[in-house]
Amino acid sequence: MIYLDNAATSPVDPEVIEVVQESMRKDFANSGTVYALGLDAKQRIEDAENRIRESLSIPPDYKIIFTSGGSESNNLFIKGYGFPDRKMAFLGLEHPSVVQTLESFREFGNEPVSLLALQEDGRLDLSAVPRLKKEKVRLLCLSHVNNELGSVNDPVQILPALAEQSPQTRLFLDGVQAVGKLKLSPEMWQGLAGYSVSGHKINGPKGIGLLVVEGKLDLKPQIHGGQQQHRLRSGTLPVPLIVGLALAIQRAVEKTDETIKNNRKLFHHLVKGLQSLAGKIPGLDLKFNSSLSEDLTHQSPSIVNFRFAPVEGEVMLHHLEEKGIYVGLGSACSAHSKEPSKILTGIGLTPEEARCSLRISFGPQNTLADVEAFIEAFGVAYRQLYSTFNRKTAHK
Amino acid sequence: MNERRTILVRYDEIGLKGKNRDQFINRLVKNIQMQMKDLEGLQFKVPHGRIFIHCPEELSVECTSRLQKIPGVASASVGVTREPKFDALAAVGVEWIEPLLQPGKTLKFCVRTNRADKTYPHKSPDIDREVGSRILRQLHSQGLEVSIKDADYILEIEIGQDETVVFNNRASGLRGLPVGSSGDILGLISGGIDSPVALYRMMKRGCRAHGIFFDNRPFMGRGGYDKVVKLSKLLNGYQKKSKLYVVPFEDIQVAIRDHCRPAHRVVLYRRMMYRIAQSVARQKGYLALATGESVGQVASQTLENLNAVSQVVNLSVFRPLIGMNKQEIINEAKELGTYDISIEPHPDCCSVFMPPRPATRAKIADLEVDETKYPWEALMRDAMTKMETVNVDTLTV
């Protein structure tokens, strides 16, 4: 099996499996109880939190809230901060858990401001910042790394621009696709309001993620109950998942330089390979939806999105699946919808172009041989499918 | 009290089957026994016109709910067996009715007897009166009254040759005929809403309905197959022992798409599905095909197109939904439990195979010309060689 859909989810690191298993056996006590067993569980969580804080260079004045994953973190921050009438803006290219959460505010008459007209290569163009001031936007929500394109919104560039030109606008980043794929600059914590992380995108367990939130922000809780986690997110804490998440984050961050190096190699190899395929296969009109920029503040080398009309991406996906090669169509959460990806149409693709696209996303297990096998299988499948999809020949 | 219960199972149409009646009843009893083989402590008796199941009290609810899903069962009542003596029968009535009486309120009741054993020395109205008056005598002071027309509570007595049963409930069944009594058929099943309902209707007419699914995994992925497997499993719950035939269809669809007139594609696909289904049915000894088609529902289901697909087979094609409206089919699918599976988001045909404007009135001569443009016999043989046969009883989903 060749797995090239690591932005959808990733295989769990065996070391993580081990610590989760061990913790499941040992740390069953409720960390909210006052006897020694419970205090031990609480200690495990605090240790994990400290490791995460250290790995991600999170300053002490930021709270760490454990959630069920990226979607919950995004919901908790946006609903908790925005309710009911804080003006919020987005690019329109974010994950559905950001976009739809913002759109849910319409029921309070709070229409989010879309900056889609000001995107470039899937990134926020900084010329949008004055508009934020003009529209009195209090929160700007962006993906740190776009889940379908790999485009980067660099907080180190955006935060100073906001501070200078629209100081009342705070920045929230969905960092689900960024951790372990890019080096997070400690500088970003100077001014960032909130940041989401997910365990299962970085070889950690599913069902666990976190929200990092600036300590002085007063978020409205979304899950009420036993008042755990600064009263922000009630519910007994899953110690084994938290321990697993901490290890996954630690490993991902430790290996970030190596990962970037490997992903860059794979990215180049894939782009070159596809380009040379386009030269060899008549009719293969291959275009990249992702930017080919090597600047890590513009594009993450972990994701390559490209199109090859007239062959449909989903059909190509199933043909590759038959060869044991797994690739992505886009956000797995919206892959079931028949509508073409809003991210791809958002950057200007026609619905047909969007439907004829695939996303390749790399993980630490991927090698050049995987990329080569993919290119070969893609070429074979394309040749096989072209005549069926090419209306000119099929309608004769 | 851990008393044994008697479940009285009624059937209706089987009663009309003349000399074959015993065969039908044996089939129904076998089907019931098969559906209940994991329940312990059941005894079956088959006197004239009825089936009795004696079971431990705690299994009576489970037995009844299973009976309600067995084609051929008209209704079932859970009761107790008693000596056919007025005092004994009345005692049951008193025991059941007394807890329902509330101070200051009246409860109207009546007794209804069915005397299957005509040698019993009292007539039904006399039994009603004798048992009723005994119950009334004991409970009148607590608010019990008799009302034949307007009863809140009906105590029923069935007097048979071997056994007399008292009961106060009736759970309606699916009616129809026991599966297997009519023979085996092959139904074209997709992941959609209609075909499972069509197969279910055939089961209720005594057919064991096997399924044939035309799979296009290289284009559509495994989602459609998984859906059909779930649907087949659910349908098999009503019949058991059914098979699912999975035919790889991508090469045929690609050939039609690449070589034939776009407007004819859908009808051409369906002609191939019919041909393959007929061939499988003949191999397996199944006596007919069944489909979920309904006149005019989609382009391929106009009278002309239905005729064009029917021409390629000479086996009977049953279309039990032919005169139903979509909403009626949806309602039945919801009742059957297939609807929620059918609407899971997996398309049943890849858009690349769909023509922009399908012909609503394809001419057979034109279709035949199209069929000279691709080697359909060879492709059909190849698809059948690659066909997978799934035993639905042992499927795990």
Side-chain angles (χ1 to χ4, degrees), chain B residues 192-263:
Chain B
I193 295 168
D194 304 344
S195 50
V197 178
L199 266 65
Y200 169 67
R201 288 198 151 207
M202 294 311 298
M203 282 180 220
K204 289 204 294 182
R205 299 314 301 158
C207 300
R208 176 159 284 115
H210 307 279
I212 184 164
F213 171 58
F214 296 92
D215 196 5
N216 188 345
R217 223 172 288 187
F219 284 77
M220 309 292 299
R222 209 190 61 193
Y225 170 83
D226 284 359
K227 243 167 96 169
V228 168
V229 161
K230 276 191 218 167
L231 291 167
S232 302
K233 190 95 185 151
L234 192 150
L235 291 171
N236 193 52
Y238 293 86
Q239 59 176 355
K240 305 286 178 194
K241 294 186 185 168
S242 68
K243 297 263 190 332
L244 172 66
Y245 301 95
V246 182
V247 182
F249 203 56
E250 62 274 8
D251 293 345
I252 292 171
Q253 277 197 298
V254 167
I256 291 172
R257 147 102 206 193
D258 286 356
H259 300 291
C260 306
R261 269 169 280 195

Side-chain angles (χ1 to χ4, degrees), chain B residues 116-132:
Chain B
D117 175 13
K118 301 297 181 198
T119 65
Y120 187 71
H122 303 278
K123 290 189 171 165
S124 296
D126 302 337
I127 305 166
D128 293 350
R129 199 172 46 247
E130 290 292 338
V131 176

Side-chain angles (χ1 to χ4, degrees), chain B residues 32-59:
Chain B
I32 294 173
Q33 285 171 333
M34 187 165 63
Q35 293 281 11
M36 302 201 177
K37 66 178 176 203
D38 58 318
L39 303 179
E40 282 181 13
L42 269 47
Q43 283 175 311
F44 291 79
K45 271 194 198 171
V46 190
H48 187 80
R50 296 281 186 266
I51 297 167
F52 288 126
I53 305 170
H54 295 284
C55 71
E57 186 182 0
E58 66 273 14
L59 290 182

Side-chain angles (χ1 to χ4, degrees), chain A residues 312 314-315 318-319 321-322 336 338 385 387-391 394-395, chain B residues 217-221 254 257-258 262 265 345-347 350-353:
Chain A
E312 239 175 72
E314 183 167 349
V315 173
H318 291 310
H319 272 66
E321 178 188 358
E322 299 241 304
H336 279 316
K338 280 184 182 174
L385 289 169
S387 67
T388 298
F389 278 89
N390 184 5
R391 298 238 160 83
H395 283 235
Chain B
R217 223 172 288 187
F219 284 77
M220 309 292 299
V254 167
R257 147 102 206 193
D258 286 356
R265 276 181 207 153
H346 292 285
C350 177
S351 59
V352 69
F353 296 118

